Amino acid sequence: MIFVQETKLESMERIAVQRMWGCSNMDFGVLYNSFPCVLVNVYAPNEVANRRELWEVLLGFKVNLQVPWCIGGDFNEIKEVSERVRCNRMERGIRDFSEFCFNMELMDLPMIGRKFTWTNYQNHAFHSRLDRFLVSQQWLERFKILPWGLPRPLSDHCPIVIQDDSRDWGPRPFRFLDIWLSNPNCRRIARETWDDVHVTGWAGFIFVQKLRAIKDKLKVWNKEDFGDINCALQHTEAELHQLDVLAEESQLTTEEKATRCKTKSEFWRLTRLSESFWRQKSRVNWLKLGHRNTRFFQGIANYRFKKNMVGSIKVNGRVIEEPEEIKEAVVEYFMNNFTEERQNRSVLGGTFLTRLSANAACQLEKQFEEGEDWGCTEGLQ
């Protein structure tokens, strides 16, 4: 249950929005005594021109209310062609709505449980996603929210509830982070672990066991030694702030100046690591050189996680939402597709080489010379 303490919003602005019968309610207040936000309940007009006018009014409010926004309701428009059955072109209303979401800097949360929210209940039924929640990036940073499509026994619209996703999906898969390579201990741990693991078996089994041992070592090292970059960045920023305050009160000593220089250098190093971390998670190759916006990559990473998350699946006409049931259904599906009677498969055999010899390494890096005998060109005219 969300409680919003209503504060001052110009009455003429409220009347202007309500007269367009596009916005039934608009509140600006504080959520949980620490999260200022705007909540808007929308019922957009059916005409494209009236909807465009409503988008312009809301954009005007956005300029004056620079806080996180959450807009939900019946927008009477789709955002993409895939959100309507038998829709194959970008019409003017779709483009206007997409531009509105972009200019408002709002993210469209993927819905769990169903794909469409409206149907005409005719013989040649049309299905569209007209109802949705649009939220600012700060909502995704603060809450783990997802919209859920509920049953619609009578209405042609299905109700949507937005709530915190508290489901436990178990341990997260291991992912190697590029920022680990900035620390020389990472390569040392990987090299030492590779040499220390001694197992017997065929070459593919040895390779897998060595990688598994490296993974376990890196997870422990990341947790105990490498640490949380954000916490280290906040701690370093606090130390730098204390030194700046001290410099305003009195002249810094030589030792304090050296400490401030070292702390500032550490702050920039951690900032670059944080940017690299979020850039990798967001998978956006943008502004690689020069100024980078860590918050932008963080928002893209959170949105990509929400969009790619499999919150529910349909198995034999039944929608499954519980994590354990989803995992069992996925495992069963792939077992049925990859199970076969014969078990004769290619294996990686031969002698397992831990490292290349110096001569073999030189041969790999050797450049081709003109007139060299390629062998495969023999007999060609």
Side-chain angles (χ1 to χ4, degrees):
M1 183 64 179
I2 295 179
F3 173 77
V4 178
Q5 180 184 357
E6 186 176 347
T7 58
K8 291 184 179 179
L9 187 67
E10 294 296 333
S11 58
M12 293 302 295
E13 294 177 345
R14 286 182 179 274
I15 296 175
V17 177
Q18 292 175 355
R19 282 183 176 176
M20 295 185 62
W21 51 287
C23 181
S24 59
N25 194 9
M26 180 174 180
D27 290 325
F28 168 58
V30 179
L31 176 65
Y32 297 136
N33 297 325
S34 60
F35 189 69
C37 60
V38 173
L39 296 180
V40 182
N41 181 23
V42 168
Y43 178 70
N46 294 320
E47 295 77 13
V48 176
N50 291 341
R51 283 199 300 269
R52 189 183 309 121
E53 188 176 353
L54 172 61
W55 307 151
E56 294 175 357
V57 171
L58 292 177
L59 282 170
F61 287 156
K62 182 68 163 53
V63 176
N64 298 323
L65 297 175
Q66 295 294 329
V67 293
W69 278 60
C70 176
I71 306 179
D74 182 6
F75 291 85
N76 260 320
E77 188 56 88
I78 61 175
K79 189 169 175 285
E80 300 175 357
V81 175
S82 60
E83 295 179 348
R84 175 174 293 162
V85 175
R86 293 189 290 275
C87 180
N88 52 18
R89 63 175 183 173
M90 289 285 292
E91 298 177 353
R92 179 60 184 270
I94 303 177
R95 292 195 297 268
D96 290 343
F97 187 39
S98 299
E99 293 177 1
F100 165 74
C101 296
F102 178 80
N103 294 330
M104 289 284 292
E105 300 179 346
L106 298 177
M107 298 182 178
D108 181 19
L109 296 179
M111 187 173 57
I112 305 299
R114 62 192 320 134
K115 185 177 181 179
F116 305 106
T117 64
W118 174 85
T119 181
N120 58 354
Y121 281 122
Q122 301 297 324
N123 293 332
H124 298 284
F126 285 92
H127 299 274
S128 301
R129 189 188 175 198
L130 305 180
D131 311 89
R132 69 187 72 227
F133 280 95
L134 303 174
V135 299
S136 301
Q137 172 188 325
Q138 295 87 338
W139 283 86
L140 302 182
E141 296 175 0
R142 182 68 179 274
F143 308 104
K144 296 173 57 178
I145 53 176
L146 281 176
W148 301 73
L150 304 180
R152 50 172 177 222
L154 298 176
S155 175
D156 54 352
H157 289 263
C158 76
I160 302 177
V161 59
I162 184 170
Q163 62 183 13
D164 186 58
D165 186 14
S166 57
R167 294 176 296 176
D168 183 13
W169 292 91
R172 295 184 178 181
F174 174 79
R175 291 184 177 87
F176 188 89
L177 300 178
D178 295 341
I179 57 176
W180 290 350
L181 297 177
S182 63
N183 192 310
N185 292 330
C186 176
R187 299 177 183 271
R188 178 183 58 81
I189 292 174
R191 182 173 57 253
E192 293 178 354
T193 306
W194 182 275
D195 296 335
D196 293 342
V197 175
H198 301 286
V199 292
T200 58
W202 59 287
F205 175 77
I206 297 176
F207 183 70
V208 170
Q209 295 303 315
K210 286 179 175 288
L211 290 182
R212 184 172 297 173
I214 293 176
K215 178 194 72 173
D216 295 337
K217 288 286 187 179
L218 289 178
K219 289 175 66 175
V220 175
W221 169 76
N222 178 59
K223 183 178 181 180
E224 296 180 354
D225 297 335
F226 195 80
D228 188 350
I229 298 178
N230 293 328
C231 293
L233 186 61
Q234 294 177 2
H235 180 71
T236 306
E237 185 178 6
E239 290 183 354
L240 190 61
H241 176 69
Q242 292 179 357
L243 291 172
D244 289 340
V245 173
L246 184 62
E248 295 176 359
E249 298 177 352
S250 61
Q251 186 70 20
L252 294 180
T253 62
T254 304
E255 183 179 355
E256 290 173 340
K257 292 180 179 180
T259 302
R260 185 174 65 174
C261 182
K262 182 179 179 181
T263 304
K264 196 171 185 178
S265 176
E266 178 67 10
F267 175 78
W268 282 110
R269 186 186 72 85
L270 293 174
T271 301
R272 290 191 296 270
L273 291 180
S274 178
E275 292 170 349
S276 176
F277 170 76
W278 286 109
R279 186 168 61 251
Q280 181 181 354
K281 293 193 69 175
S282 64
R283 296 182 182 178
V284 175
N285 297 322
W286 184 63
L287 292 182
K288 289 184 177 180
L289 301 177
H291 176 71
R292 295 179 290 270
N293 189 345
T294 304
R295 190 171 186 179
F296 165 78
F297 293 114
Q298 184 176 359
I300 295 297
N302 292 331
Y303 176 70
R304 185 176 64 85
F305 174 78
K306 297 285 186 182
K307 186 175 182 179
N308 295 339
M309 189 191 72
V310 180
S312 63
I313 60 175
K314 182 179 290 187
V315 180
N316 298 326
R318 174 172 168 261
V319 178
I320 300 176
E321 297 179 353
E322 292 299 325
E324 292 300 327
E325 295 183 3
I326 293 178
K327 294 177 184 178
E328 294 176 0
V330 171
V331 172
E332 183 180 358
Y333 172 80
F334 283 102
M335 286 185 63
N336 294 334
N337 281 272
F338 292 97
T339 300
E340 60 182 7
E341 296 181 359
R342 294 190 306 166
Q343 299 296 330
N344 296 329
R345 292 188 176 274
S346 300
V347 297
L348 180 63
T351 305
F352 186 80
L353 301 177
T354 57
R355 58 172 58 89
L356 294 175
S357 63
N359 186 27
C362 292
Q363 292 294 328
L364 288 177
E365 299 177 355
K366 181 181 177 181
Q367 296 183 355
F368 292 107
E369 299 178 357
E370 185 177 358
E372 184 176 356
D373 184 12
W374 289 62
C376 61
T377 60
E378 294 180 0
L380 298 179
Q381 298 298 328

